[in-house]
Amino acid sequence: MPQETKTEELLRRFEAVCREQQYEFEAIYADVRKALALLDGKNHGPALVALACIGIGVLVGKPYGKKIIQSGFEAVGSDKQEK
C-alpha cells in the first residue's frame, strides 16, 4: 500500500476537522423547531432573527456557530434555547 503524500495527509486531517465542526441534523432540526415556536400572531420578527442566527451558526460551524445561535435566541428574549 503506497504511503500517503503530505498533501493527502493534510487534506484528510482538514476533512476530519470539518466533520467535527458540523452540526448533526437532529440538532439543527431541534433549533429550528425552537425558533418556529417563537411565532406569535403576526409578529414574526423574533422567529426570523432566531432562524437567521441558526443559518449563520450552521455555516460557521462549532464552536463559534453555537455561540451565534445562542446569541440569536438571547436577542429575542427566548428562554427556549438550551445553553
Side-chain angles (χ1 to χ4, degrees):
M1 184 162 150
Q3 188 176 5
E4 279 187 335
T5 66
K6 200 69 152 166
T7 303
E8 290 170 334
E9 170 65 17
L10 288 173
L11 181 59
R12 189 181 61 74
R13 287 183 184 184
F14 176 73
E15 288 173 345
V17 167
C18 287
R19 276 193 299 278
E20 289 173 7
Q21 292 179 347
Q22 289 178 343
Y23 284 92
E24 298 295 325
F25 291 123
E26 294 84 9
I28 297 168
Y29 178 71
D31 282 339
V32 169
R33 295 292 301 165
K34 290 173 192 170
L36 292 175
L38 296 172
L39 291 175
D40 182 28
K42 295 185 180 204
N43 183 13
H44 298 144
L48 291 175
V49 169
L51 288 170
C53 289
I54 291 168
I56 294 167
V58 169
L59 286 174
V60 169
K62 297 176 187 173
Y64 296 107
K66 185 174 180 83
K67 292 178 182 180
I68 291 169
I69 293 169
Q70 289 174 345
S71 296
F73 279 97
E74 290 171 8
V76 297
S78 170
D79 57 319
K80 297 176 190 258
Q81 171 66 22
E82 297 172 7
K83 293 196 177 190

